[in-house]
Structures are given as C-alpha cells and as structure tokens.
Amino acid sequence: MSEKISIVVLEDEKNYRDTIKLLLNFSNIFCCLQTYETIKKFYRGFDDIDPDIFWIDLNLPDGSGIDVIRHIKKYRPDALCMVCSFFDSEEMVFKALQNGADGYLLKGESNKKILEALQDLYNGGAPMSSTIAKKVIMSFQSYNAIQENFSLTIREKEILEHLSNGEQYKEIGGKLNVSIETIKKHIKNIYNKLHVNNRTEAVNKYYGLK
Amino acid sequence: MSEKISIVVLEDEKNYRDTIKLLLNFSNIFCCLQTYETIKKFYRGFDDIDPDIFWIDLNLPDGSGIDVIRHIKKYRPDALCMVCSFFDSEEMVFKALQNGADGYLLKGESNKKILEALQDLYNGGAPMSSTIAKKVIMSFQSYNAIQENFSLTIREKEILEHLSNGEQYKEIGGKLNVSIETIKKHIKNIYNKLHVNNRTEAVNKYYGLK
DNA sequence: GAAAGAATACCCCTTTTGGGGTATTCTGTT
DNA sequence: AACAGAATACCCCAAAAGGGGTATTCTTTC
C-alpha cells in the first residue's frame, strides 16, 4: 500500500470522536487527518482539507450533518461521505442518502465492521449497517408492495410497459409487429382487469405509484 | 442453537447448486432442505416445502426468478428471499427488490460472505453485495436530480399533478374552477416546456421516472 | 407607465383514445 | 378430442387529447 486512505471526522461526542481517531490511526491503511466537533469549526477548516473520506455524524449541536454532506458533495464531488449516526428516523436516512451519503453506519458497529466498511466504501461499495440496508430495501418494496398480479398475461404486461413510456398504439403495434387493433384489444382487457379507464390510471395502479 | 435455519435453493447451474448445498450443509447453522433447477420443478414441489429462506437465481432456463419471488411472497409472506445471480442490469436489480427480494448477492461472493449474508438476512438485515448496494444508494441520489425546475409555473405544476393522476381536462377544470380550454392551454405550455407530446411522457419526465 | 409573464378563455382542426361488439387462430391442459 | 385462455384482427362510434391560432385581464418587474 503506497498511501494511506485519509479521513476527516465530524463528530460532536468527544469520546466517540477520539475512539474513531484512534481506531483509524492504529490501522495501517487509514489516517485521520483531522477531527471537528461542530459544523462551524468544520467549515472554518474546510478549504484546507481534502481527504478521501469524510466521516459525518448527522446530529451536530449547531446543525444537521445532511447540510454538511450537501456542502461536501458540491465542493469536493470526488470525496466520499460516510454517515455514522444513531438511528433517528427513516426520513433522516433517506434524506442523507438523497443528499449524497455514500455509506451509512449506525453507531455501535464493531471496530472490525467499521474498518471493513471504510475499505468497502473506498473500493466503490456502499456499506450500510444492516438495519439501514433493511430500511432501504423496504423502501423499494413499498413502491408496489400491495402489487397484486391483477392476473395480467405476459403480453398484457408487455403492452402495459410500452404504455407506461407514453408510446402510441401505432408505435406499440409496430414494435410488436401486430395490428393496432390488437393493441387496442389488449389495452381494453388491461383496463378491465385493473378497473381503470385510461392509460395513466393503469400505469399508476399497476406499478403501485400514487 | 435449537433448530437449523432451513433453506431451499433454486439455481439451474448444477455446479453452483451443489456447491451451495454443500456449503450450507457443512455449516452447523444452515440446512439445505431441497434444491431445484427449474421453475417448473420448483412449483411442483412448492406446496410441500416451507423453509426459512429461499435462495433464488434470477436467470432460470424456463423463466425469471422475479416471478418466483412474487409467488413466494404471495404464498409464504414470512419466508425470506435471497437473490443470488450474475449482474444483469440495474433494472433487473430494482425489479427484484421491488418484487420482494430481501437480499441480493452477486455470484462470486466468498463462502464466508455467503454464510454471513444468510445469517444477516435471517436476523432481519438486508445483505447485498457491494456493487448492488452502490446501485441501490445511487438510485436514491438520482431521485433527487428530479429537482430540475423546467421553469414550470406554480399553476402548471399544479395541473401536472392532476394530469399525473389520470384526471381528464374536464375534471381538472372543474376542480380548479376554470374552463376546460384554459386547462388545455396550460397543458400545451407544459408539453412545450418539457419537450414532450403527451401526458405520460410529461409525467415521466417531470417526476424523473423512466 | 411600459413591458413581460401568467392566467384566463375561446376558435379551428386532426389524431388518438376508449368502449362496445364479433371472429379466427393458436396453444396448452385435461 | 374437447375446451379454455390467449393472441390476433376487424367493425362502429363517441369522447378525449393534442396542436395551431388569437385575445383579454391581471400581476410583477424594471
């Protein structure tokens, strides 16, 4: 290993901050460049630091780590942001991810897990504590959780897929090499099965949106 | 540990199937109840099996594992589905998750990782290979890129919202207490701004779907 | 106080969609 | 061999959507 992976820590709790710093510097792959306990101090030092990874707590005394993430992603787009925080709310988790968090650990992970996660992050992964991963995956499922089958046939599903792109009957017929009338027939059947009467309602209902 | 965690494997490739079976049975926490190489055979045996975890390959010779996941989630809502497949496309990953996959491993993970993932899954986690986790997290971030404004006015956004519910012009006009012609005019403007020419395309574009 | 943009409303017209049928082939299952 | 379901294709017709205009009122901004 030529260079150590550099990390800056933003964490208000002194104890935890020192523990992480020690852990990083004790390993022979990471190097803790700097630690900060408030957002204000972090911003004051920001121009002078350019680590590979930012380690960020979300609940800071003078603001939210989410804003910090956004700031980092704006001015250091290549840096990685590892969130490490107590579990707060699902909304907090999703907001952090939407704003650019590249990984999300819950406080309380073992030292071994932490080091593994940081390496995974540096190698292009997206490490998450298992509770977080669960939330994330569940958010996908709620997309169409109640999605019954509606007993659509393969062909009907296929046509619905085209409908959902906004394609015209003519277009779909062309692609599937059948007459436009056939497409119309299929669509009538789809609408009947889904109990809707236009394209948008069908798409929303089948794909569980709205 | 009182009982072993029971697993059923659906995987067409004989070599891999046997390897997984051996791995599971060699551990002292898992027990491979049964293996299947096709969806057909799997469904034939389905009524007689009720494992804790289903291990599912997505690319099967006689169909897609995604349909299998949906089937399992319908009839064994408490069972867990661990996908293990080659990386196919992002779409495939998201479809699998949306349809109920509880974990997603890429083929090629080490035996150690596999066993850890299965334990994590059983304990309520959502284990993913790091490439998958990265895709998943990135999908959150791109969700945010929707914030393009397209310079729609407040009124236009409001009308687009109604459009996205599949409401008719007449209906929208009624709710907003303006003439249907006004609604039409607004919608023409919306389509122009978004460079689309029908409702579905407008909704997809504005809300960042598709 | 003029100019620009937004919201309102109407005209014209064509194309597309949706709803009601009927009928023929094809395929898989019993 | 019989049957059911699916996919194909066509008919008719009305309603809705989309695209082209123009015009008036009302804010907001310069």
Side-chain angles (χ1 to χ4, degrees):
Chain A
M1 183 132 334
S2 53
E3 277 278 328
K4 289 186 180 180
I5 301 167
S6 57
I7 301 185
V8 160
V9 173
L10 173 55
E11 161 68 55
D12 60 323
E13 203 192 317
K14 178 164 175 23
N15 235 321
Y16 198 68
R17 193 171 63 240
D18 292 345
T19 308
I20 295 299
K21 183 177 177 176
L22 256 173
L23 173 65
L24 295 175
N25 287 336
F26 239 123
S27 78
N28 53 354
I29 30 177
F30 299 108
C31 153
C32 181
L33 291 184
Q34 187 62 265
T35 66
Y36 299 98
E37 65 261 38
T38 65
I39 296 181
K40 197 173 250 178
K41 290 186 186 174
F42 176 83
Y43 282 150
R44 218 171 309 161
F46 189 72
D47 288 338
D48 305 321
I49 49 171
D50 189 12
D52 298 310
I53 297 173
F54 288 91
W55 173 283
I56 297 165
D57 183 18
L58 292 186
N59 296 105
L60 282 315
D62 58 342
S64 167
I66 289 176
D67 298 322
V68 178
I69 295 172
R70 193 156 46 209
H71 186 87
I72 293 170
K73 286 290 164 177
K74 189 171 175 187
Y75 297 105
R76 300 268 199 286
D78 295 330
L80 294 162
C81 288
M82 172 67 96
V83 167
C84 181
S85 200
F86 285 116
F87 181 70
D88 197 301
S89 63
E90 290 194 22
E91 205 196 335
M92 203 67 156
V93 175
F94 297 139
K95 277 226 172 109
L97 297 179
Q98 280 170 25
N99 282 284
D102 300 289
Y104 200 124
L105 293 182
L106 289 178
K107 282 186 184 173
E109 294 285 357
S110 67
N111 291 347
K112 184 165 162 282
K113 275 271 161 69
I114 289 174
L115 294 178
E116 277 175 8
L118 286 169
Q119 280 177 87
D120 182 18
L121 180 70
Y122 188 73
N123 292 323
M128 290 171 271
S129 292
S130 65
T131 312
I132 301 299
K134 187 71 187 175
K135 301 279 176 209
V136 165
I137 280 208
M138 284 196 320
S139 87
F140 273 87
Q141 292 167 5
S142 68
Y143 241 106
N144 59 354
I146 321 156
Q147 211 236 54
E148 310 144 52
N149 211 4
F150 295 111
S151 65
L152 295 193
T153 66
I154 311 276
R155 196 56 155 177
E156 285 165 353
K157 286 180 202 165
E158 187 179 12
I159 288 170
L160 192 45
E161 186 76 28
H162 287 282
L163 277 185
S164 76
N165 294 326
E167 294 172 37
Q168 294 186 343
Y169 297 174
K170 205 194 311 180
E171 225 175 326
I172 303 174
K175 287 188 184 174
L176 302 186
N177 253 310
V178 294
S179 113
I180 189 178
E181 292 294 335
T182 301
I183 300 295
K184 284 180 64 175
K185 178 62 175 163
H186 281 303
I187 290 171
K188 275 186 269 189
N189 291 336
I190 294 172
Y191 291 176
N192 273 327
K193 288 185 182 176
L194 300 186
H195 305 296
V196 298
N197 36 42
N198 66 52
R199 176 191 298 238
T200 310
E201 286 175 358
V203 170
N204 288 342
K205 188 150 196 177
Y206 187 76
Y207 294 104
L209 312 165
K210 300 275 162 182
Chain B
M1 183 134 332
S2 54
E3 278 278 326
K4 289 188 180 180
I5 301 167
S6 56
I7 301 185
V8 160
V9 173
L10 173 55
E11 161 67 55
D12 59 324
E13 203 192 320
K14 177 164 175 25
N15 236 321
Y16 198 68
R17 193 171 63 240
D18 291 345
T19 309
I20 295 299
K21 183 177 177 178
L22 256 173
L23 173 66
L24 296 175
N25 287 336
F26 238 122
S27 78
N28 53 354
I29 30 177
F30 300 108
C31 152
C32 180
L33 290 185
Q34 188 61 267
T35 66
Y36 298 97
E37 65 260 39
T38 64
I39 296 180
K40 197 172 248 180
K41 291 186 185 173
F42 175 82
Y43 282 151
R44 219 170 310 161
F46 188 73
D47 287 339
D48 305 320
I49 50 171
D50 190 12
D52 298 309
I53 297 174
F54 288 91
W55 172 283
I56 296 165
D57 182 19
L58 292 187
N59 296 105
L60 280 316
D62 58 341
S64 166
I66 289 175
D67 297 322
V68 177
I69 296 173
R70 187 150 55 206
H71 186 86
I72 293 169
K73 286 291 164 177
K74 188 170 176 187
Y75 297 106
R76 301 269 199 286
D78 294 331
L80 294 163
C81 289
M82 172 67 95
V83 167
C84 182
S85 200
F86 285 116
F87 181 70
D88 198 302
S89 63
E90 289 194 22
E91 205 196 336
M92 202 69 157
V93 175
F94 297 139
K95 278 224 169 115
L97 297 179
Q98 281 171 26
N99 282 284
D102 299 290
Y104 200 124
L105 294 182
L106 289 178
K107 283 187 184 172
E109 294 285 358
S110 67
N111 291 346
K112 183 165 162 281
K113 275 270 162 67
I114 290 174
L115 293 178
E116 277 175 9
L118 286 169
Q119 279 177 87
D120 182 16
L121 181 71
Y122 188 73
N123 292 323
M128 289 171 270
S129 293
S130 64
T131 311
I132 301 299
K134 186 70 186 176
K135 301 279 176 209
V136 165
I137 281 209
M138 284 196 320
S139 87
F140 273 88
Q141 292 166 5
S142 68
Y143 196 70
N144 204 33
I146 297 159
Q147 301 311 339
E148 270 180 78
N149 214 3
F150 295 110
S151 65
L152 295 192
T153 67
I154 311 278
R155 196 57 154 176
E156 285 165 352
K157 286 179 199 166
E158 186 180 12
I159 288 170
L160 193 44
E161 185 73 28
H162 287 282
L163 276 184
S164 77
N165 295 326
E167 295 171 37
Q168 295 185 343
Y169 297 174
K170 205 194 312 180
E171 226 175 325
I172 303 174
K175 287 188 184 174
L176 302 186
N177 254 310
V178 294
S179 112
I180 189 178
E181 292 295 334
T182 301
I183 301 295
K184 283 180 66 176
K185 177 64 174 161
H186 280 303
I187 289 171
K188 275 186 268 189
N189 291 337
I190 294 171
Y191 290 177
N192 273 328
K193 288 185 182 176
L194 299 185
H195 305 297
V196 298
N197 37 41
N198 67 53
R199 176 191 297 238
T200 310
E201 287 176 356
V203 170
N204 287 344
K205 189 150 196 177
Y206 187 75
Y207 294 105
L209 312 165
K210 299 277 163 179

